[in-house]
């Protein structure tokens, strides 16, 4: 992250490491919330087989190779034009900024991060919010390039 144009490279690297640690804390908190709400924990086997389980997406890129390939054959070049959205979800009012994260799905629950380090659990069938975690950003943080969460 770039905080101020004239930061020294060393300061920038230190800030990036702090930002990464903060992101890891958010992910760990989201996992703890998910488990406390009855979701099943993601196992190593789930991650290794992610590319084979189209009902769940438990890793970035749908598998360890990051290919984003799905084995779903119900959707193809002949019927993709008939796809229609069945629900929409808003990340809300003044905090609705850039959205760049890939959702993860486990046991019918979609987990997605939003701007300002917020995490949502959403029912994947209905689009209803199950819970939201709103992390408090560190005081004095000056994010570069908006407050999106990737």
């Amino acid at each position: 992250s770039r905080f101020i144009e004239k930061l020294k490279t060393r300061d920038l690297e230190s800030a990036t490491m702090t930002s990464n640690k903060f992101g890891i804390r958010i992910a760990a908190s989201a996992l703890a919330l998910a488990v406390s709400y009855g979701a099943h924990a993601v196992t190593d086997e789930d991650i290794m087989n992610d590319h084979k389980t189209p009902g769940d997406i438990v890793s970035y890129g749908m598998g360890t190779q990051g290919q984003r390939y799905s084995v779903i054959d119900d959707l193809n070049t002949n019927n993709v034009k008939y796809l229609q959205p069945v629900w929409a979800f808003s990340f809300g009012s003044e905090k609705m900024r850039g959205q760049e994260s890939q959702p993860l799905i486990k046991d019918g629950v979609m987990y997605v991060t939003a701007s300002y380090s917020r995490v949502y659990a959403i029912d994947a069938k209905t689009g209803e919010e199950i819970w939201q975690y709103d992390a408090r950003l560190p005081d004095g943080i000056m994010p570069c390039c908006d407050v999106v969460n990737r």
Side-chain angles (χ1 to χ4, degrees):
S1 297
R2 286 178 274 141
F3 295 112
I4 299 174
E5 284 183 17
K6 294 186 179 184
L7 278 179
K8 295 179 182 175
T9 303
R10 181 180 51 108
D11 292 338
L12 182 58
E13 289 172 359
S14 175
T16 301
M17 288 175 28
T18 300
S19 176
N20 289 341
K21 288 177 185 176
F22 185 67
I24 290 168
R25 286 195 303 260
I26 288 173
S29 298
L31 179 59
L33 279 170
V35 170
S36 71
Y37 277 88
H40 298 99
V42 174
T43 65
D44 290 344
E45 185 177 348
D46 291 334
I47 294 169
M48 295 306 294
N49 292 316
D50 197 20
H51 63 288
K52 299 176 186 174
T53 57
D56 289 333
I57 301 170
V58 297
S59 63
Y60 180 78
M62 296 176 65
T64 57
Q65 300 299 309
Q67 298 294 312
R68 292 186 173 83
Y69 173 78
S70 175
V71 295
I72 295 174
D73 59 4
D74 295 342
L75 185 62
N76 56 51
T77 56
N78 296 323
N79 62 19
V80 70
K81 62 186 169 196
Y82 300 113
L83 279 179
Q84 294 182 359
V86 293
W87 57 263
F89 186 84
S90 174
F91 292 111
S93 65
E94 80 281 352
K95 286 193 172 185
M96 190 168 59
R97 302 292 287 266
Q99 174 57 35
E100 299 179 10
S101 67
Q102 173 187 314
L104 301 177
I105 301 173
K106 176 71 172 152
D107 298 329
V109 178
M110 177 184 293
Y111 302 93
V112 63
T113 62
S115 58
Y116 293 96
S117 300
R118 295 171 296 148
V119 180
Y120 291 88
I122 303 165
D123 184 303
K125 286 189 178 186
T126 66
E128 296 293 320
E129 180 180 314
I130 299 170
W131 54 259
Q132 173 190 352
Y133 176 73
D134 196 347
R136 177 170 165 73
L137 294 174
D139 292 333
I141 192 169
M142 298 169 59
C144 159
C145 315
D146 208 358
V147 291
V148 297
N149 197 350
R150 299 178 181 108

